[in-house]
Structures are given as C-alpha cells and as structure tokens.
Amino acid sequence: MENKILGLHHITAIAGDPQKNYDFYTKVLGLRMVKKTVNFDDPQTYHFYFGNETGSPGTILTFFPWPRAKKGKNGVGMATEIGYSVPEGSLNFWQKRFDKYKVRYENISEEFGEKFLPFEDPDGLKLKLIISGTKDSREGWEINEIKKDVALKGFHSVTLNLYNQVPTAAILTHIFNYKLKKQEGTRFRYSTDEVENASIIDLLEATNPEKGINAAGTNHHIAFRVKDELSQEFFRKKIIDAGLNITGKIDRDYFFSLYFREPGGVLFEIATDNPGFTRDESPEDLGSSLKLPEKFEPSRERIENLLPKLSH
Ligand code: ZN
C-alpha cells in the first residue's frame, strides 16, 4: 500500500565556481539554499541544496561545485534538461530578468501543449521554466525581486536522453508505476498519478546519439522519492529481481539513498522523505551555516579552511 514512487525527490548536477553557482540559483532564480554541506565522499568540495522554503521533495536541485571542473557535455545516458514549474503568465518576467542578468536563453516554445522558456545556468546546465498544463498549487520561495506570482514552484519534469527509450521505460512502468501519457516525435512523456507535481519523466530518443561527458554543467543523477526506508527496501528487491545491480542503503544525513544505473545509462537514486533538512537546523535557519556529517566534525576547522570562501 505504502510502497509507491512519489515522483522526483531531487536532482544532482555538477558545477564549476561555487560562488557563481550560489549567486545564480539564489539571487537570479530566487531559490532558497536549504543546506550548505560537503560532498560526503570528498569533504573539500561543497554540496549545495537549493529548493523551496523547506526543501520539500520534488523541489531540490543539488550541486557539487568544483572550482577547477572541466566543462561537460550532454549526451545519451544522461539527464539533460531540468524543468521547473512556474506560475501562469510569468515567462515574460523571466525573459526580462534573464536579459538583465545576461542569462543565456532561447525563444519561448511549446511542448505537449505547455509553454516553456529554455535557459542555461553559468556552467551551461540546461533548464526550462514551464507553465504546467495541470494544477500546481505549490508556492515558491520569495525574495525581494521575485514574488510568489512568478517564483519557481519546484520541478515539473526531467528529460533523459537515450539511445532507445524502451529499456528505461520498462523500469519506469513495470517497477515505478509510471505510465506513458503522450508522445511528440522522439519525446515520450511518462508520469505517475501518485503525486500531483514533479511527476513527469520525459524520455527523449537522441536523433544523433553521442556519449556525453559528466563534468561541469551536466547532471550527475536523478533521485526518485519514497516515503521511508521500508518502502525503499521494497523497491531495492524489485530492482534486484529485474537483474540490475543496486547499492545498499546509504545515510545521506537528510535522507537515505540507494543507487542503481538504469539500462539506458542514467544513474537513478531512490531517496526517502525522512529525516529531512530540519534534522540539524531550524526551518528559519536552513542553509545559513556549514553543516557537516558527524564523522567530519572533529576536522571542521581544517575542512572550513580548505573550502573556497562563499559570501551569502
Ligand atoms: Zn542524490
């Protein structure tokens, strides 16, 4: 009964300069930094989490910013476009804002009857602002220049670039209970009815399939959301039964994670709602200070000296 995939939990990408990354997502796009921590496998690197007020699942975009990262390239076997849901009538506001901040963007266009504005972050990561064709009652985080009537609400969808969409679709439909809803050209739209938002995965068959390079400006993995660890274990068994390799449960402090590579090459994660971002900070203070996993606390001073300085 409770064993459901509840849409997207978070998406993780690679960035270059941490300050540019922080400024773009908090000051230009107006997201809230809900956690400032380090890469648990490489504590000299930050791990930033940007989301709505509380960092609700389905709103969280995370980055590993490496100041000397090489520029990556999108290709097959990667998540290549991140779609954010924005309020009806807000695209003109965003075009003007992108002009003001010299953000690279393309013309407003339409897909599956929904208008969208494609743009890039400072590292070339591809994103889109989409007017959702279905109800999205989520409210975005407000900053001075970006009020709720234009603020990003959270994820609308993510696009996976594939050589052939069939094997990936089998995971989505047979194991995660997604359904094929629409198709336009080589773009196949799958979604789950278990949640209202962050429910869409577009599978795009590449017309010119080339391998990508996973470095700055590209996505590292996408995480699907489950309620808790019992539900996560249920899906772990299903993935094993499907003949795929999957990791054991990993404690990420703010959620528990499992990772597996789907047959199309994209790294998938299954992440829990618990314990959430308020486990070590109050809701008002989210993202305001550097948080470290317990094992790194004794080395805090050394880690703080090694991390690039970041001004908020
Ligand atoms: Zn993740």
Side-chain angles (χ1 to χ4, degrees):
M1 189 65 183
E2 295 295 327
N3 294 323
K4 293 170 177 171
I5 293 289
L6 304 168
L8 289 168
H9 184 281
H10 66 268
I11 298 173
T12 294
I14 301 169
D17 183 62
Q19 188 71 55
K20 275 190 190 155
N21 180 259
Y22 173 83
D23 288 345
F24 184 77
Y25 285 94
T26 62
K27 294 172 187 168
V28 179
L29 291 189
L31 299 178
R32 185 179 192 195
M33 180 187 252
V34 292
K35 196 62 65 182
K36 180 169 67 169
T37 181
V38 294
N39 183 336
F40 289 7
D41 305 312
D42 169 22
Q44 297 179 28
T45 303
Y46 281 119
H47 193 183
F48 294 159
Y49 290 79
F50 303 108
N52 67 355
E53 181 173 8
T54 56
S56 311
T59 74
I60 314 156
L61 180 57
T62 99
F63 286 92
F64 296 120
W66 281 305
R68 284 169 298 280
K70 291 204 169 68
K71 190 163 163 44
K73 188 164 83 81
N74 276 332
V76 290
M78 292 167 86
T80 50
E81 295 162 30
I82 295 169
Y84 272 101
S85 171
V86 288
E88 182 81 46
S90 65
L91 293 183
N92 290 343
F93 166 88
W94 285 106
Q95 270 183 322
K96 282 189 201 126
R97 191 164 178 84
F98 290 168
D99 282 333
K100 180 176 167 190
Y101 287 96
K102 301 193 166 48
V103 175
R104 270 175 302 193
Y105 68 92
E106 291 166 46
N107 291 334
I108 293 174
S109 145
E110 203 171 302
E111 214 160 60
F112 300 117
E114 296 175 320
K115 284 199 166 51
F116 70 97
L117 170 60
F119 67 104
E120 290 181 14
D121 84 356
D123 292 299
L125 188 73
K126 290 193 183 302
L127 303 113
K128 320 191 244 197
L129 299 178
I130 305 170
I131 309 289
S132 177
T134 57
K135 186 172 156 238
D136 188 346
S137 48
R138 298 175 296 177
E139 284 193 337
W141 174 245
E142 282 196 348
I143 62 171
N144 257 346
E145 294 175 9
I146 303 172
K147 297 301 176 198
K148 285 196 167 59
D149 61 333
V150 292
L152 278 62
K153 294 164 180 269
F155 295 135
H156 168 280
S157 55
V158 65
T159 300
L160 311 185
N161 197 291
L162 301 161
Y163 177 70
N164 172 354
Q165 63 101 25
V166 175
T168 306
I171 302 289
L172 292 180
T173 57
H174 296 163
I175 302 179
F176 288 180
N177 199 26
Y178 277 63
K179 296 180 184 81
L180 176 64
K181 294 292 167 79
K182 290 169 185 172
Q183 182 193 348
E184 274 184 10
T186 57
R187 182 179 288 270
F188 299 75
R189 173 155 290 188
Y190 293 84
S191 79
T192 175
D193 297 328
E194 301 297 349
V195 281
E196 273 192 351
N197 306 113
S199 59
I200 297 170
I201 309 284
D202 278 353
L203 302 186
L204 180 65
E205 285 188 341
T207 41
N208 177 24
E210 263 186 63
K211 277 249 173 235
I213 301 165
N214 196 206
T218 65
N219 291 300
H220 187 262
H221 64 264
I222 68 168
F224 291 88
R225 173 185 173 206
V226 289
K227 182 170 170 278
D228 56 23
E229 295 151 80
L230 281 176
S231 182
Q232 189 179 45
E233 184 55 27
F234 170 86
F235 285 103
R236 183 166 184 271
K237 292 205 180 85
K238 291 266 194 189
I239 299 299
I240 292 169
D241 290 345
L244 297 171
N245 292 319
I246 183 163
T247 67
K249 185 176 82 175
I250 299 171
D251 183 354
R252 293 300 185 198
D253 273 13
Y254 310 106
F255 43 85
F256 294 93
S257 295
L258 299 173
Y259 301 87
F260 71 100
R261 204 166 285 281
E262 59 82 26
V266 183
L267 188 59
F268 278 8
E269 175 180 346
I270 301 174
T272 61
D273 278 359
N274 62 299
F277 293 105
T278 49
R279 76 174 281 278
D280 58 2
E281 274 176 311
S282 67
E284 309 81 69
D285 292 336
L286 285 176
S288 60
S289 58
L290 180 71
K291 292 292 166 189
L292 297 175
E294 220 171 311
K295 65 173 176 176
F296 294 139
E297 272 303 340
S299 328
R300 174 176 281 272
E301 204 180 320
R302 192 176 59 86
I303 290 171
E304 284 182 345
N305 285 331
L306 287 169
L307 286 169
K309 291 285 160 274
L310 186 75
S311 53
H312 285 234

